[in-house]
Each structure stands twice: as structure tokens, then as C-alpha cells.
Amino acid sequence: MGGAQFFNQDLSPYCKRLKATIAVYDNFKPESKFHPNWGKDRVLEVIKTCGITQKSDEVGAEETDGVIITVNVPNVTSDKGVLRFALYDKATFMRTPLDGQITTIKEGKASIELKNVAPGAYAIICYHDGNNNDTFDYDNNGMPAEDWGMSNNPVLMGPPTFDSAKFTVENKSLDLTIKF
């Protein structure tokens, strides 16, 4: 973004991403006091280049305000533990999620809302953390020991890929169903 502004390039893709980043900072909860929780101040400073301040404009009010992804999982095998969800783009897939949420299970069903998602291509992976140990467990053969699923519900013969789970967010809310 730094160089783009000096070469008269369109800054709107960068601005959209920065707005979405604010929502990630607002929803982030460090796992402990030793986990980093800094960076929002710098994003707010850079976003001023877009002509947006947190006071004068709600961050994300243009394209991302109101863009909500509702994710439903209708077939959880047990109400024990929690479901853990992660939202990725292509660059972060299976590494550090853009957003993550945890929810309880009631009568074999669970759902979450991911708010203020910027338009773009994303994938969601979720798993049933039945023992609530904050880890996706594997058996002795390296196969998943806990139920899991991903957007688009692809049938895979190997590890998940971004392209098989990819969906597009535009300027409207979206409902997804993930089945285990």
C-alpha cells in the first residue's frame, strides 16, 4: 500500500483489507497474557490514508458492514465439548486464521456468525473438539480422531485444499452449512 499511493494506484483493495483487519482485532482474545495482542493502533494509523477515522466513520461501514457469514453444522454426533471454526483466505489457509470462533453444541446442532467480512474468497474449516482440549486430535495412524468439515462439503482423498473449500463473499450476507 505504501508504494501504491505514490504511483497513483487504486488503494481500495488495501483499504477493504484494513477495515476487515479491525474486526479481527476487535474479536481477538489472546489465549494468555503472554500472547501478542498489539497491532490495532498501527492499522488505525495506516487506515487514515484511506480517509477513514474510527470516530467519523464506522470501520467497515462501506462494503463490510452487515456482511455476515452464518455457518450451521446440523449433524454433530455429540453435545460434549465445543465446535471450533476458522476462517481463512488463500494466503492464510491452514496456518493462522483471519477469524476464529468457538461455540457450544445443542441437540447435535451448532452455528456461528462471522461479522464484518470483507468481500473476497474464503474457506472455513471447523472441527468437533469433543474433549475440549483445544487441539485437533489424530489417531495412531495419523487420521483425524475428531469429526471435522469445511465449506462446500467436498469429498476429499487427502488433506484439505483451499480451492475445494473456497467460496466468495460479495456485498451481502451468506448462509453456509458444513456437514461432518
Side-chain angles (χ1 to χ4, degrees):
M1 181 173 175
Q5 64 186 340
F6 299 111
F7 291 100
N8 295 324
Q9 293 178 336
D10 182 19
L11 298 181
S12 61
Y14 303 105
C15 295
K16 287 179 189 176
R17 199 71 181 131
L18 286 171
K19 289 181 220 174
T21 302
I22 296 297
V24 173
Y25 278 111
D26 289 342
N27 294 327
F28 178 73
K29 292 174 183 61
E31 292 180 29
S32 75
K33 65 182 180 179
F34 300 108
H35 283 80
N37 63 354
W38 44 265
K40 183 177 178 182
D41 293 338
R42 177 67 179 136
V43 172
L44 290 173
E45 191 63 34
V46 173
I47 207 167
K48 288 179 185 176
T49 306
C50 300
I52 298 168
T53 63
Q54 198 164 24
K55 277 186 179 175
S56 66
D57 293 313
E58 277 299 311
V59 174
E62 288 174 12
E63 290 89 5
T64 60
D65 190 35
V67 178
I68 297 171
I69 302 172
T70 303
V71 184
N72 299 296
V73 180
N75 62 336
V76 185
T77 55
S78 158
D79 287 359
K80 292 181 182 177
V82 295
L83 282 189
R84 297 182 186 274
F85 293 82
L87 174 71
Y88 299 100
D89 62 11
K90 187 164 187 142
T92 62
F93 189 69
M94 300 288 289
R95 289 187 223 121
T96 304
L98 299 171
D99 192 0
Q101 291 197 18
I102 302 168
T103 191
T104 56
I105 307 151
K106 291 186 179 147
E107 298 176 7
K109 298 176 184 173
S111 66
I112 56 131
E113 286 187 345
L114 299 163
K115 297 181 180 179
N116 296 323
V117 179
Y122 298 96
I124 296 174
I125 295 180
C126 68
Y127 74 95
H128 180 197
D129 190 0
N131 56 7
N132 207 7
N133 67 348
D134 197 22
T135 302
F136 185 63
D137 298 324
Y138 296 90
D139 66 16
N140 292 336
N141 295 325
M143 298 299 291
E146 296 177 306
D147 291 334
W148 69 280
M150 55 198 273
S151 44
N152 293 336
N153 300 303
V155 177
L156 299 175
M157 299 304 251
T161 65
F162 179 78
D163 287 335
S164 62
K166 174 175 67 173
F167 62 93
T168 303
V169 172
E170 295 176 352
N171 290 329
K172 61 181 182 175
S173 296
L174 196 60
D175 289 330
L176 301 175
T177 299
I178 296 177
K179 296 182 181 177
F180 291 160

